[in-house]
Amino acid sequence: MVCLVLPDHQGKKTMVLPTELLLSHNHGVPESLAPGLNASAFATAFLPLGTRGWTVEPLDHHHWRVRLVADEAPSVMGQAALHYLRVLRVSQGIKADYGLLALGGRKDRRAVAGSPLQLGSWGVDVVETPSAEAFLATIGWSGLVATRPHGTWFALQSTLQEAS
């Protein structure tokens, strides 16, 4: 959620805006463990969130696949994204265990023209990987977030077979 403090005729008024997450999918496990998901199949995983009052919108973009909007904290929404990807994969009969990550960051700079990720929104990379630790080391996650203010990013980790 985003809180804005706006002046009104009686002083200041706080307005709470819903949180917007844009999800991308990084399928980094062998096809023999879990088949890749096209944009539509990836978006299908999150449709049950609509029954919780969330907006779930598939996107037609080369990187961002799904828009989620809800009155929840970004990390809560990221955890839900991991949960529903896990539910989808288990429903597909996938037995292998591998790492799942939701790596989120708030967009604090001007957006690229034409990008659905806009100022104040959260971009979240949902990652399927043989090793979460190795993936984080490869992308230099610690360095990426070292200069970011607290509350502007999150890193959630799970495994496919983790009890939900």
Side-chain angles (χ1 to χ4, degrees):
M1 291 174 284
V2 176
C3 291
L4 296 177
V5 179
L6 303 171
D8 67 6
H9 69 282
Q10 296 175 337
K12 294 182 179 179
K13 183 177 187 176
T14 300
M15 183 164 79
V16 178
L17 301 176
T19 302
E20 179 181 74
L21 263 63
L22 272 64
L23 306 180
S24 70
H25 183 226
N26 183 327
H27 179 260
V29 296
E31 292 281 329
S32 60
L33 288 181
L37 297 171
N38 64 29
S40 176
F42 181 69
T44 299
F46 310 104
L47 293 178
L49 289 166
T51 64
R52 295 169 56 176
W54 293 25
T55 299
V56 179
E57 178 187 354
L59 299 174
D60 183 19
H61 188 264
H62 68 278
H63 182 72
W64 303 113
R65 302 296 189 190
V66 180
R67 175 182 282 118
L68 301 177
V69 181
D71 291 326
E72 298 284 352
S75 61
V76 169
M77 295 174 72
Q79 195 64 50
L82 287 181
H83 170 78
Y84 283 100
L85 178 59
R86 186 182 315 111
V87 167
L88 173 69
R89 290 308 205 172
V90 170
S91 76
Q92 292 174 330
I94 299 186
K95 304 281 188 229
D97 201 13
Y98 54 82
L100 300 175
L101 295 166
L103 305 175
R106 189 178 67 205
K107 181 72 175 167
D108 291 335
R109 295 192 186 121
R110 203 153 115 201
V112 174
S115 174
L117 182 64
Q118 294 296 308
L119 190 66
S121 296
W122 289 74
V124 180
D125 293 321
V126 179
V127 181
E128 296 180 275
T129 179
S131 169
E133 293 78 13
F135 181 87
L136 292 170
T138 298
I139 65 168
W141 180 254
S142 296
L144 292 172
V145 298
T147 59
R148 299 277 320 251
H150 179 71
T152 64
W153 61 273
F154 62 82
L156 304 169
Q157 188 172 334
S158 185
T159 65
L160 184 65
Q161 300 302 325
E162 182 175 295
S164 308

